[in-house]
DNA sequence: CAGGCTATTTATAATGT
DNA sequence: TACATTATAAATAGCCT
């Protein structure tokens, strides 16, 4: 529907991608709205763009903040700050089209359809949660791997200077609870201090 | 996009509505899929059509079954069976487009975007839940109202025949737990038995 | 009713401002 | 960088089978 036909594949150029996202999102929402009115249905559209731009350092802190990482005792991460920079924030949006939900009267609205929607959203939620956990676990593993390598390297260096190796970890589970909002990434870990 | 322009308002004719729902639903899903690929985003579309056809009597029983009604002690309903028939089932559907969620690697997928999506679905859920509760409350109120009228009427009749009025309620909270699946609506209440 | 078929309307890609 | 324009692709309303 434009000057030329476009292939459906990832748009590499970042700004074009952003522009297309805005335009098509608008279209999608409008279509959902129309459908909900025309066919008296309840439609939810949840779109999260995966635009990984403009990193802010304490994003990961917030994530850890909000979600207790149950493998925290395995999280003996080196250079958490660098890792954090790999987590890029995103643009997000939520649109819920619920035209029908407003005009209901007791006898002809199906409570059951709302219950279905609830259940379906629950299903969507569990998919999202499962994927989130999986990705976080992957991150944990890669952190552990890097840590292990660095510890080894460190031990070699330490033996060369005839000193004992200390690994000092601050925070861990509770570290970003207090200073997680708006500040720079705290120095969470010091090696060989 | 058709032979003529259509106004965006409820389609009264049931079968046209159904046809339009199918066609436009398909279009909506396709749009969502394209957007998710083009812009590397995660999109969930949840559509519940509000087609209130083909009533089955124990629908309400199932609802009550699944959801504890905390106002059950107010639920001194008369003729629950009739009420149940006002709850009509529906067609439902769920489509989750998650093309991006599949091809992630640790460093360039935003865990945070998944968390956002989770949070947004939670938001959508609470809207749905709130509406569900509201509708159920409305139903409870109307049941109570009808009950009150009937009790009054009943008392008048009773006094006319010089008898005392008994209101016997069976089940209540737990009533449909055991026999809620596939059976006819149980006689839950007897008046003046 | 489900599945094609076009005449049209609508969405939007590229471009202009 | 964001917003308006417009040529073109895509969606779909009404028909038809």
């Amino acid at each position: 529907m434009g000057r030329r036909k476009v292939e459906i594949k990832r748009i590499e150029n970042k700004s074009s991608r952003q522009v297309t996202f805005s335009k098509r999102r608008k279209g999608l929402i409008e279509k959902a709205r129309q459908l909900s009115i025309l066919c008296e249905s309840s439609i939810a559209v949840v779109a999260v763009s995966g635009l990984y731009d403009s990193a802010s350092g304490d994003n990961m802190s917030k994530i850890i903040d909000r979600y207790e990482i149950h493998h925290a005792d395995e999280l003996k991460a080196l250079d958490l700050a660098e890792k954090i920079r790999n987590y890029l924030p995103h643009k997000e949006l939520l649109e819920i089209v619920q035209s029908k939900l407003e005009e209901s009267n007791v006898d002809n609205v199906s409570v059951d359809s709302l219950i279905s929607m609830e259940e379906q959203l629950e299903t969507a939620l569990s998919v999202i949660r499962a994927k989130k956990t999986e990705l976080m676990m992957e991150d944990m593993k890669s952190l552990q791997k890097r840590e292990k390598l660095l510890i080894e390297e460190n031990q070699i260096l330490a033996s060369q200077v005839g000193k004992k190796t200390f690994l000092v970890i601050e925070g861990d589970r509770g570290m970003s609870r207090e200073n997680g909002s708006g500040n720079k990434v705290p120095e969470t870990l010091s090696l060989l201090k």
Side-chain angles (χ1 to χ4, degrees), chain A:
Chain A
M1 298 134 125
R3 295 299 180 90
R4 70 172 61 163
K5 178 172 175 143
V6 292
E7 246 193 298
I8 302 303
K9 61 166 192 172
R10 181 190 138 95
I11 296 169
E12 291 303 332
N13 180 280
K14 203 169 106 176
S15 58
S16 317
R17 193 166 67 232
Q18 176 82 72
V19 168
T20 296
F21 185 77
S22 308
K23 286 182 170 184
R24 280 178 172 260
R25 164 186 167 267
K26 189 182 155 204
L28 187 68
I29 302 299
E30 174 59 16
K31 286 286 183 187
R33 191 191 65 84
Q34 293 179 358
L35 179 54
S36 76
I37 295 171
L38 287 169
C39 303
E40 213 172 31
S41 50
S42 300
I43 301 180
V45 174
V46 180
V48 180
S49 84
L51 304 174
Y52 317 115
D53 45 34
S54 75
S56 87
D58 57 334
N59 201 28
M60 181 64 181
S61 306
K62 283 181 192 157
I63 292 172
I64 292 174
D65 224 12
R66 277 184 282 174
Y67 287 85
E68 294 213 351
I69 296 162
H70 295 302
H71 298 72
D73 48 356
E74 294 170 12
L75 180 61
K76 296 161 192 162
L78 280 178
D79 196 5
L80 189 57
E82 187 197 313
K83 185 64 200 166
I84 285 164
R85 283 182 205 98
N86 290 324
Y87 279 94
L88 304 175
H90 58 282
K91 293 267 178 71
E92 64 189 51
L93 63 108
L94 167 66
E95 299 291 341
I96 304 176
V97 179
Q98 286 172 305
S99 60
K100 182 57 196 149
L101 295 187
E102 301 318 310
E103 49 172 282
S104 54
N105 66 55
V106 177
D107 280 343
N108 68 11
V109 157
S110 171
V111 171
D112 206 39
S113 77
L114 293 176
I115 290 175
S116 281
M117 192 149 173
E118 177 179 343
E119 289 172 348
Q120 289 163 343
L121 286 172
E122 292 274 23
T123 302
L125 255 176
S126 32
V127 174
I128 298 302
R129 283 180 173 142
K131 194 67 196 176
K132 181 196 69 188
T133 303
E134 189 191 315
L135 292 176
M136 293 179 98
M137 289 299 281
E138 277 176 11
D139 287 355
M140 293 307 119
K141 280 182 199 161
S142 81
L143 287 172
Q144 286 171 40
K145 203 166 152 188
R146 281 169 54 205
E147 174 212 20
K148 197 180 166 193
L149 288 173
L150 282 164
I151 288 173
E152 282 169 7
E153 196 180 325
N154 196 280
Q155 285 175 326
I156 292 167
L157 289 169
S159 69
Q160 285 175 345
V161 294
K163 273 210 304 207
K164 198 170 189 300
T165 302
F166 287 100
L167 186 63
V168 182
I169 301 169
E170 294 172 0
D172 214 39
R173 273 182 171 273
M175 74 178 180
S176 50
R177 288 283 139 66
E178 304 305 321
N179 62 354
S181 57
N183 299 326
K184 282 188 182 159
V185 180
E187 275 294 352
T188 53
L189 185 145
S190 318
L191 192 57
L192 262 177
K193 201 175 263 181

